[in-house]
Amino acid sequence: MSPAMPPSDTHEPTLPGLAVVGGGPAGLMAAEAARAAGIEVDLFEGKGSVGRKFLIAGKGGLNLTHGEGRPAFDARYRERAAAVGRWLDDFDPDALRAWAAGFGIDTYVGSSGRVFPRDRKAAPLLRAWVRRLRDQGVRFHVQHRWTGWDDAGALCFETPAGPLRRHARATVLALGGASWPQLGSDGAWAHTLRGVGVDVRPLEASNCGFDIGWSDHFRERHAGAPIKPVVGIWRDATGQEHHLQGECVATSHGIEGSLVYALSAPLRDAIRRDGSARLWLDLVPGRSADRLAAELARPRGKRSRSEHLRRQAGLSGVKAALLHECLPAATLDDPGALSAAIKRLPLELRATRPVAEAISSAGGVALEALDACLMARVRPGVFLAGEMLDWEAPTGGYLLQACFASGMRAGRCAVAWLGGE
């Protein structure tokens, strides 16, 4: 959001306060926490402006957090629920809404429980936030891409004017995950951190689409078609079956959309474990298989199979095409078997879409490699926050909430490390 600052002499003295590397929500929140305690802050961002992914996330309506109560809210973070819950103790959804209100931005809870600004836009909030941070004295250094540390422990940056080194008394790294790399979150930091002994788990797609391998006929005619409403049915690692109603989209590669994103973690885990994952779709929620079988058994006369499906089962377009794509002809001509398949259409998911296409990423710095203050055990004075940590959450505000909260914790802990000056 600010013009690039020319690099100073490489041998400039150690930065007076906190260095924050990364200008997304986690990094900006760490900077705010430090300035609130009177700590000087230099924030370094690899791109030409901060908050680029935040702005993209807000294109369809900025989903800041969710109205779900705790501890159900915490449970959305699966095996990391306890750890993320401690971050939320510092900065929970109510605190985030109150913080936004401090900029004059009111929020509301939508019908799905998601929390949005009244105008649903990200840009006004980001502009106000950066303006306040600059007014508070945060020094922004854009087009400063962090490349690691030198042998003397100085932070190293590539800048338009050449390499730059800066010693820091404390550092918060908030470099994002590996999704949307064109916006700065490319995961390049993983190799650097592994090189200094930090445990970094492989970065992989989360809240993502999946490959199925449609026929050319199906792909050419139905890619981009919404599939709604449907109920997704899947089994977890213990074999327990789960159901969730929602909607998804047929793509040229397979399937994506809000329902699929919500299930991406268990489906991805199944592919890793078994080589593929099975997802069943109930194409007619609310209609029983017995009723459906009776309706499909009615004589169709001279009507085509497609017209019979449309009249008796309400299926046409992409839903009808899925039946032809996934079922043998014999099933299509057997009312009992067809009704069962309509209520439980099997899809074989072969792979996740590439992490660069995903809404977010899983994996990253293992929380076990950090102490309770999010400081690297092998790198004292270096704190980490945001999506570069090994946690994941579904869409719906949970992602941003944990980024804000972890940034707050890392910033406050960095202040304590510096002596609370």
Side-chain angles (χ1 to χ4, degrees):
M1 301 290 289
S2 59
M5 296 177 63
S8 304
D9 185 90
T10 302
H11 303 292
E12 180 178 307
T14 299
L15 294 170
L18 176 66
V20 175
V21 184
L28 294 172
M29 187 56 74
E32 177 160 318
R35 283 305 299 142
I39 299 295
E40 292 193 49
V41 177
D42 286 85
L43 187 145
F44 299 89
E45 164 60 40
K47 293 295 185 180
S49 58
V50 301
R52 290 193 174 193
K53 190 174 179 183
F54 183 73
L55 290 173
I56 291 295
K59 259 196 165 181
L62 179 63
N63 182 194
L64 271 177
T65 185
H66 200 282
E68 186 174 32
R70 301 180 66 190
F73 194 108
D74 302 24
R76 299 292 183 173
Y77 301 94
R78 303 177 72 213
E79 64 272 11
R80 296 304 195 186
V84 177
R86 290 190 288 271
W87 310 345
L88 298 178
D89 291 340
D90 293 348
F91 196 71
D92 65 11
D94 288 340
L96 178 53
R97 296 183 70 183
W99 171 83
F103 295 104
I105 295 176
D106 292 330
T107 55
Y108 71 96
V109 181
S111 58
S112 65
R114 301 181 182 210
V115 175
F116 300 92
R118 286 287 175 190
D119 63 5
R120 297 178 63 88
K121 296 178 180 178
L125 176 57
L126 182 62
R127 282 196 301 266
W129 193 8
V130 172
R131 186 184 308 116
R132 184 168 77 182
L133 290 172
R134 293 174 70 182
D135 290 345
Q136 291 173 343
V138 174
R139 293 179 288 271
F140 286 85
H141 310 266
V142 297
Q143 294 184 296
H144 281 56
R145 181 177 176 81
W146 182 70
T147 58
W149 294 275
D150 67 11
D151 292 342
L155 296 164
C156 299
F157 300 94
E158 291 293 336
T159 80
L164 174 70
R165 291 180 295 163
R166 283 290 177 268
H167 286 276
R169 299 170 56 210
T171 302
V172 172
L173 298 179
L175 295 162
S179 63
W180 291 82
Q182 66 272 32
L183 302 177
S185 299
D186 58 12
W189 49 263
H191 176 75
T192 300
L193 293 184
R194 288 192 186 106
V196 297
V198 177
D199 181 9
V200 181
R201 310 287 167 78
L203 291 160
E204 52 188 352
S206 180
N207 293 293
C208 59
F210 290 84
D211 289 339
I212 291 178
W214 303 124
S215 67
D216 290 341
H217 178 86
F218 182 89
R219 181 170 52 250
E220 290 167 3
R221 288 162 175 76
H222 299 288
I227 308 170
K228 62 179 184 180
V230 292
V231 170
I233 306 165
W234 76 102
R235 293 193 180 114
D236 63 24
T238 68
Q240 184 177 353
E241 192 164 282
H242 302 270
H243 299 70
L244 181 66
Q245 183 162 331
E247 57 187 69
C248 48
V249 177
T251 70
S252 59
H253 301 285
I255 194 169
E256 64 176 35
S258 58
L259 173 63
V260 178
Y261 299 154
L263 311 182
S264 65
L267 294 174
R268 182 195 65 233
D269 293 348
I271 291 172
R272 186 192 305 113
R273 182 180 64 248
D274 304 324
S276 65
R278 182 59 61 90
L279 173 66
W280 294 270
L281 294 182
D282 178 352
L283 299 178
V284 287
R287 191 181 304 197
S288 72
D290 289 343
R291 173 188 166 193
L292 192 59
E295 291 168 334
L296 290 172
R298 291 173 182 168
R300 78 185 201 199
K302 296 182 179 180
R303 290 193 298 270
S304 67
R305 180 191 289 151
S306 295
E307 179 63 14
H308 189 64
L309 273 172
R310 186 188 69 80
R311 287 196 179 194
Q312 302 304 327
L315 294 177
S316 60
V318 66
K319 284 188 174 181
L322 281 169
L323 299 177
H324 290 275
E325 180 75 4
C326 301
L327 302 176
T331 299
L332 294 172
D333 291 325
D334 181 332
L338 179 57
S339 63
I342 290 172
K343 293 295 292 180
R344 197 181 180 90
L345 184 70
L347 300 178
E348 183 180 1
L349 311 183
R350 301 177 178 180
T352 64
R353 293 299 300 156
V355 65
E357 296 179 11
I359 292 175
S360 59
S361 57
V365 175
L367 298 189
E368 293 76 11
L370 312 176
D371 67 13
C373 280
L374 302 182
M375 185 172 72
R377 298 184 188 277
V378 301
R379 201 86 185 183
V382 175
F383 302 82
L384 300 97
E387 200 180 335
M388 68 186 297
L389 304 183
D390 182 21
W391 59 273
E392 65 178 313
T395 58
Y398 303 101
L399 289 163
L400 271 177
Q401 177 67 56
C403 286
F404 280 112
S406 64
M408 178 65 77
R409 169 158 288 214
R412 287 176 174 172
C413 288
V415 168
W417 172 265
L418 291 166
E421 305 165 358

